[in-house]
C-alpha cells in the first residue's frame, strides 16, 4: 500500500504496515542473511531452492515490512580502536524515555540502547577508545543529562559475539 493510499484511508503515511506471516522459506532466507549479510541473491535462491526473482522479491518484502531493518558488519571493537566497552545502567525520570533516548543516541560510541524493567530503566552499551574516554562519557555527558537520576557502569572484560550459527536451526532471525 502506498503512502497516498494510506492517507486516503486515514492511515499514518509514516507507519509501517503489520508484517505478513513468515513461511519456512522466509525464515530460511533470514537465517542465511543473518549469518552472511553479503550473500548474493543467487546464493540465497540456490540455498532455499527458489528462483532468483522469487528470492529478490521475498527479500524486498522483508525489508519493506520492516522484518529486515538493515544490513551491517559485525565489528571487532578492540581492533577498530574501541578497546574499552561497558554496559551502563541508568535510572531516569519517569516518562522521559524518548528525550533520554534521543540524547543517548547522539553519544559517541553508543551501540545499543534498551528500555528495560527491573532495578534500572535503561541499559546502554558503549565502546570507547580507552577507560579515560569512557570515564568522560559517563561523568560529563551521561550524568549531565537532566533526566538521568543515576548510573552504574559495568566494564566489559571480554566479549563473545553470539551471532547466528548453523548449529542453531530453530533460530528464525
Amino acid at each position: 500500500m502506498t503512502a497516498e493510499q494510506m492517507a486516503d484511508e486515514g492511515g499514518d503515511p509514516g507507519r509501517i504496515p503489520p508484517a505478513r506471516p513468515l513461511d519456512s522459506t522466509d525464515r530460511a532466507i533470514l537465517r542465511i542473511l543473518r549469518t552472511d549479510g553479503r550473500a548474493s541473491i543467487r546464493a540465497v535462491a540456490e540455498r532455499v531452492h527458489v528462483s532468483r526473482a522469487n528470492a529478490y522479491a521475498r527479500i524486498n518484502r522483508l525489508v519493506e515490512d520492516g522484518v529486515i531493518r538493515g544490513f551491517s558488519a559485525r565489528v571487532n571493537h578492540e581492533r577498530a580502536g574501541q578497546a574499552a566497552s561497558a554496559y551502563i545502567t541508568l535510572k531516569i525520570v519517569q516518562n522521559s524515555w524518548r528525550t533520554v533516548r534521543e540524547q543517548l543516541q547522539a553519544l559517541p560510541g553508543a551501540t545499543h540502547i534498551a528500555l528495560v524493567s527491573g532495578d534500572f530503566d535503561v541499559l546502554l552499551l558503549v565502546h570507547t577508545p580507552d577507560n579515560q574516554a569512557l570515564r568522560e562519557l559517563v561523568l560529563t555527558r551521561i550524568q549531565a543529562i537532566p533526566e538521568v537520576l543515576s548510573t552504574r557502569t559495568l566494564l566489559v572484560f571480554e566479549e563473545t559475539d553470539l551471532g547466528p550459527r548453523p548449529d542453531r536451526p530453530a533460530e528464525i532471525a
Side-chain angles (χ1 to χ4, degrees):
M1 180 180 298
T2 67
E4 293 83 20
Q5 290 170 325
M6 289 176 64
D8 290 343
E9 294 178 12
D12 178 4
R15 188 178 153 273
I16 297 174
R20 292 165 268 206
L22 303 180
D23 63 16
S24 60
T25 302
D26 292 329
R27 287 190 294 275
I29 289 170
L30 290 172
R31 277 193 302 275
I32 292 166
L33 293 176
R34 281 194 42 126
T35 302
D36 180 7
R38 295 177 60 181
S40 68
I41 297 290
R42 179 180 175 182
V44 170
E46 288 174 359
R47 289 181 59 192
V48 299
H49 310 292
V50 297
S51 69
R52 283 185 291 198
N54 188 330
Y56 182 81
R58 284 174 176 266
I59 292 170
N60 277 344
R61 179 179 49 82
L62 292 167
V63 170
E64 289 171 6
D65 284 354
V67 175
I68 295 176
R69 296 183 303 177
F71 298 88
S72 63
R74 288 183 298 204
V75 176
N76 179 325
H77 294 283
E78 190 171 340
R79 294 197 46 94
Q82 303 289 304
S85 297
Y87 286 96
I88 303 167
T89 66
L90 295 87
K91 287 187 181 181
I92 62 173
V93 172
Q94 189 173 7
N95 296 322
S96 65
W97 163 241
R98 287 177 182 82
T99 302
V100 171
R101 180 182 56 197
E102 287 176 16
Q103 294 176 72
L104 295 176
Q105 286 172 327
L107 293 174
T111 60
H112 184 84
I113 304 167
L115 178 65
V116 297
S117 65
D119 293 336
F120 48 88
D121 304 305
V122 178
L123 183 62
L124 170 67
L125 175 60
V126 298
H127 301 283
T128 61
D130 53 36
N131 283 344
Q132 179 63 32
L134 176 60
R135 179 182 180 281
E136 291 299 314
L137 182 70
V138 173
L139 297 180
T140 64
R141 301 284 300 272
I142 295 172
Q143 290 183 355
I145 298 171
E147 297 85 0
V148 172
L149 301 173
S150 67
T151 64
R152 175 172 284 162
T153 303
L154 306 167
L155 190 59
V156 174
F157 294 126
E158 184 177 318
E159 292 181 90
T160 301
D161 185 5
L162 296 179
R165 299 184 326 224
D167 62 336
R168 289 196 261 191
E171 192 171 279
I172 293 176

